């Protein structure tokens, strides 16, 4: 027997709701939902969907939008479908807490989003000519620099996600452009530059709070300290420090990695390049922090 005192097996924070898995077994899940006002829950019948779905309102007011009109659900009301046969949408009028029981597990689809994004990021870097450990190296080095710079554990966690996922937006850059070793036309370069904003959009669309936060950093990883970067020409302290860290680490790794079309540069030459661009391309304090850990880089 398991007793959980206000503790769930697993939790996922979404931008508009918090989900806690209270129990799962034998194909059934019991999930506690806390919906913020305005949040929508959609149930959509799919081919082969045979699930029993049951929802019990614990508190708050939830509007049930059925094809026949609106119904207000309150504490003690429930909704049951087995299986669901038409599109059903619920909208939280106030903060709503409810218990959701389903015979077709879906909680892990939510909590797997982070892993799915990471798999996607690795496949993008490979498409871009890197070996599989590029994402991991960027993550490790960013964390080391972040620690030296005194980031909090929460900030380090988001930095870790953002670093791993920095180039995820390249999923939308056509292969012909991504694999061109040099000499992009102006138009092609404009498309390439959009991977920053596309990355933020991809992560925001997951509605997972931590990924949304990482997305804000991802969008800034090609900004420059002197304001000549992209996509928004931010400069100096306008750029998030987490993004400034990823910029330095990514530049270093890009220079020293062997790519499909060329061999990587020596570590010392790459370090020289970083130092030469301190204060123009790169945040000076980040460069200093990076140099303080340089002997730990292999
Ligand atoms: Fe990038
Ligand atoms: Fe990269």
């Amino acid at each position: 027997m398991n007793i959980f005192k206000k503790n769930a097996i697993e939790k996922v924070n979404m931008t508009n709701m918090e989900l806690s898995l209270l129990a799962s077994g034998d194909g059934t899940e019991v999930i506690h939902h806390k919906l913020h006002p305005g949040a929508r829950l959609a149930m959509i019948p799919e081919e082969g969907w045979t699930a029993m779905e049951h929802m019990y309102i614990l508190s708050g007011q939830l509007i049930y939008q059925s094809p026949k009109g609106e119904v207000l659900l309150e504490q003690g009301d429930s909704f049951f479908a087995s299986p669901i046969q038409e599109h059903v949408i619920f909208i939280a009028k106030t903060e709503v807490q409810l218990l959701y029981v389903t015979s077709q597990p879906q909680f892990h689809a939510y909590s797997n989003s982070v892993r799915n994004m990471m798999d996607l990021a690795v496949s993008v870097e490979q498409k871009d000519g890197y070996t599989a450990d590029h994402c991991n190296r960027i993550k490790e080095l960013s964390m080391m620099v972040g620690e030296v710079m005194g980031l909090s554990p929460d900030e380090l966690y988001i930095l870790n996600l953002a670093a791993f996922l920095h180039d995820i937006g390249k999923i939308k850059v056509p292969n012909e452009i991504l694999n061109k070793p040099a000499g992009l036309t102006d138009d092609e370069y404009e498309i390439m530059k959009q991977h920053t904003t596309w990355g933020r959009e991809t992560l925001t669309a997951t509605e997972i709070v931590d990924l949304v936060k990482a997305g804000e950093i991802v969008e800034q990883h090609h900004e420059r300290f002197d304001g000549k970067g992209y996509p928004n020409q931010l400069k100096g302290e306008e750029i998030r420090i987490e993004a400034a860290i990823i910029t330095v680490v990514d530049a270093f790794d890009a220079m020293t990695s062997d790519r499909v079309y060329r061999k990587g540069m020596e570590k010392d030459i790459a370090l020289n390049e970083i130092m030469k661009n301190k204060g123009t391309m790169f945040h000076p304090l980040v460069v200093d922090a990076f140099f303080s850990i340089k002997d730990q880089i292999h």
Side-chain angles (χ1 to χ4, degrees):
M1 193 164 78
N2 295 306
I3 296 175
F4 293 98
K5 285 207 145 188
K6 294 190 184 132
N7 248 327
I9 300 175
E10 220 175 304
K11 271 186 200 256
V12 178
N13 274 340
M14 316 275 291
T15 38
N16 51 7
M17 62 184 90
E18 292 163 34
L19 311 178
S20 311
L21 182 63
L22 299 180
S24 85
D26 199 20
T28 303
E29 283 181 342
V30 182
I31 306 167
H32 178 269
H33 281 66
K34 185 167 160 186
L35 309 182
H36 303 314
R40 282 160 184 272
L41 258 189
M43 291 182 175
I44 298 155
E46 281 172 52
E47 270 294 300
W49 187 251
T50 56
M52 182 285 287
E53 291 179 273
H54 180 80
M55 193 186 271
Y56 181 85
I57 316 293
L58 298 166
S59 65
Q61 294 186 316
L62 190 65
I63 297 165
Y64 162 41
Q65 278 191 341
S66 78
K68 297 179 199 83
E70 288 189 353
V71 182
L72 186 71
L73 300 175
E74 293 177 291
Q75 182 181 16
D77 293 342
S78 51
F79 172 89
F80 176 81
S82 181
I84 191 123
Q85 276 161 353
E86 53 197 358
H87 287 244
V88 179
I89 291 175
F90 298 93
I91 303 169
K93 210 175 161 190
T94 60
E95 182 175 290
V96 174
Q97 302 213 36
L98 60 89
L99 274 186
Y100 174 72
V101 181
T102 173
S103 65
Q104 222 148 304
Q106 42 194 279
F107 187 85
H108 288 98
Y110 292 112
S111 56
N112 279 343
S113 292
V114 175
R115 184 161 302 281
N116 292 343
M117 286 295 132
M118 287 184 149
D119 290 346
L120 192 60
V122 170
S123 71
V124 168
E125 296 284 15
Q126 284 173 332
K127 219 171 76 162
D128 203 8
Y130 282 100
T131 52
D133 48 354
H134 173 67
C135 293
N136 260 321
R137 272 199 314 269
I138 301 283
K139 184 189 82 175
E140 300 293 332
L141 285 176
S142 296
M143 298 293 278
M144 283 157 75
V145 177
E147 273 170 37
V148 170
M149 298 196 73
L151 267 58
S152 71
D154 283 351
E155 290 169 329
L156 285 172
Y157 176 66
I158 303 297
L159 170 62
N160 144 75
L161 288 175
F164 199 95
L165 302 170
H166 67 283
D167 268 345
I168 199 164
K170 284 187 180 167
I171 193 72
K172 291 180 76 175
V173 177
N175 271 348
E176 316 82 81
I177 298 180
L178 208 53
N179 295 329
K180 226 174 159 179
L184 292 182
T185 65
D186 287 351
D187 287 350
E188 288 169 337
Y189 189 51
E190 285 309 311
I191 293 171
M192 184 63 138
K193 288 199 303 200
Q194 288 198 61
H195 80 274
T196 48
T197 301
W198 286 336
R200 196 228 331 126
E201 288 169 355
T202 303
L203 295 173
T204 301
T206 64
E207 296 188 2
I208 306 270
V209 172
D210 292 339
L211 291 178
V212 174
K213 285 187 191 163
E216 294 163 10
I217 298 167
V218 164
E219 183 166 40
Q220 298 183 4
H221 80 276
H222 285 287
E223 298 288 2
R224 292 171 45 129
F225 193 74
D226 60 9
K228 292 182 185 156
Y230 60 85
N232 294 315
Q233 290 79 48
L234 301 178
K235 63 166 179 255
E237 306 304 325
E238 292 169 359
I239 304 165
R240 297 273 298 271
I241 199 69
E242 298 93 325
I245 292 173
I246 297 172
T247 307
V248 171
V249 168
D250 194 34
F252 176 79
D253 200 76
M255 286 188 278
T256 51
S257 304
D258 293 333
R259 304 286 282 272
V260 181
Y261 48 84
R262 62 147 173 74
K263 213 166 147 34
M265 171 192 287
E266 289 302 317
K267 180 176 152 185
D268 285 341
I269 300 174
L271 283 170
N272 252 331
E273 277 307 305
I274 302 271
M275 192 47 93
K276 259 199 279 179
N277 291 289
K278 175 176 167 178
T280 50
M281 234 172 160
F282 307 124
H283 192 305
L285 295 178
V286 175
V287 172
D288 293 344
F290 188 71
F291 269 71
S292 77
I293 57 136
K294 72 178 185 353
D295 295 334
Q296 297 169 54
I297 305 170
H298 308 290

